[in-house]
Amino acid sequence: MLYFDHCASTPPYEEVVKTMMEVMKSQYANPSSLHRAGTDADKLIERSRALLADQLQTTNGKWVFTSGGTESNNLAIKGVARQYAGRGKHLITTQIEHASVYETFAQLEQEGFRVTYLPVSESGHVRIEQLEEALTDQTILVSVMHINNEIGSIQPIEQIGRLLKRYPKAMFHVDAVQSIGKLPVCIEEWGIDLLSGSAHKLRGPKGVGFLYVREGVTLYPLFTGGSQEYGNRAGTQNVPGIVASVKALRMSLESLEQRERRMRPLKQKLIQLISGIPELRLNGADPSAAHIIHFSYPGMKPEVIIHMLEQRGIMASTKSACSSKEDKPSRVLLAIGVSHEQAAGGVRISFGDEHEERDIVALGAALSHVVEQLKPLERRLT
């Protein structure tokens, strides 16, 4: 099997699986308990928190452990909006955010907040001048993802952070779920106030996320009923998951530069192969992540392509895994200006550490065969 769906989830490191099993066996006490077993578990969490801060080079904030990227995004956005609504009720995000961000802003609109959804260029990038035009003295939060989860566009996070330093009332949230372990992320240097991550996107376990909260920022909690995680997230912490996640983060960061060097030529090879198939259209443009390629077969339902690739032992996806079962065009593709037909026929390929050039060649050959088989059915499957 060739697994090309790393944006949805990644195979965990073997060492991470072993660590999680060991901690599950030895540290099963509730870390909030006052007895020794509880305090031992709590010490493991705090040690993991310190290691997380060290790995991502943060000294001026705290890390909150959550259940994943979706919760981290919700806590950051709703937490700031509800806590600081007295300062202003204007929020800014983009038209191409992950559903866990986009739909969170839609909920806040129902609560009386005004949201500006910034357009993007044809390549899928935010324009700094449009962001600056959207800022007002009522803006309390700007949320922009680092790497888009569908087309891989890399947003100018450093430049946005530099701009927002002139607007101290506006806090800056970054969804870095697809970028941590893939690109350098300089949280404090770039002026980021809140940053979301997810362990299973970087070869850690599912069910663990993390959220950076700059010192001085207070969040209105989503959950109540306990004082865990500095009062930001009530509930018993996932001790084995947290320990294993921080180990996965360390391992991913240690191989970050090597990963980028390996994946960039693989992406270029696949672009070359896809460009040789006239029926397919590439979506997005550089600067983009090395591990993501998105293309469309206009006039063809993407799930047909996905299932035909699966029959050949190749796993890919249509769009975000959270939205892949929705039978409607990609919101992200529509935002970059492609036709409705092209936006409805998108397929995402996302690489991992295990891939080599021969895997890309095999994928290219499979795509060519699938397209040849589908051409006679093109009109009937739209």
Side-chain angles (χ1 to χ4, degrees), residues 112-154:
F113 289 88
R114 184 171 68 87
V115 180
T116 297
Y117 297 92
L118 295 173
V120 293
S121 66
E122 292 181 358
S123 60
H125 297 94
V126 171
R127 297 179 177 91
I128 298 294
E129 59 272 18
Q130 289 185 323
L131 170 58
E132 188 166 14
E133 289 172 4
L135 288 161
T136 75
D137 60 0
Q138 294 295 303
T139 307
I140 58 170
L141 178 66
V142 175
S143 179
V144 179
M145 71 194 321
H146 193 185
I147 292 178
N148 182 266
N149 56 294
E150 286 190 40
I151 60 174
S153 52
I154 301 173

Side-chain angles (χ1 to χ4, degrees), residues 56 58 60-63 76 141-146 155-162 164-165 170-176 179-180 184-196 211-215 217:
L56 291 174
T58 58
N60 190 34
K62 58 193 177 189
W63 285 95
L141 178 66
V142 175
S143 179
V144 179
M145 71 194 321
H146 193 185
Q155 301 300 344
I157 298 300
E158 184 176 4
Q159 294 93 312
I160 293 173
R162 194 158 51 237
L164 293 179
K165 286 181 180 178
M171 295 184 199
F172 186 23
H173 167 248
V174 175
D175 173 356
S179 62
I180 296 176
V185 179
C186 305
I187 299 171
E188 294 179 352
E189 180 183 335
W190 293 351
I192 297 170
D193 298 302
L194 304 114
L195 179 134
S196 305
L211 174 65
Y212 169 78
V213 183
R214 179 181 56 78
E215 186 176 340
V217 175

Side-chain angles (χ1 to χ4, degrees), residues 16-32:
V16 167
V17 174
K18 290 179 180 177
T19 295
M20 192 163 179
M21 291 176 61
E22 290 169 3
V23 177
M24 285 182 72
K25 290 178 181 178
S26 63
Q27 300 292 341
Y28 45 80
N30 191 317
S32 296

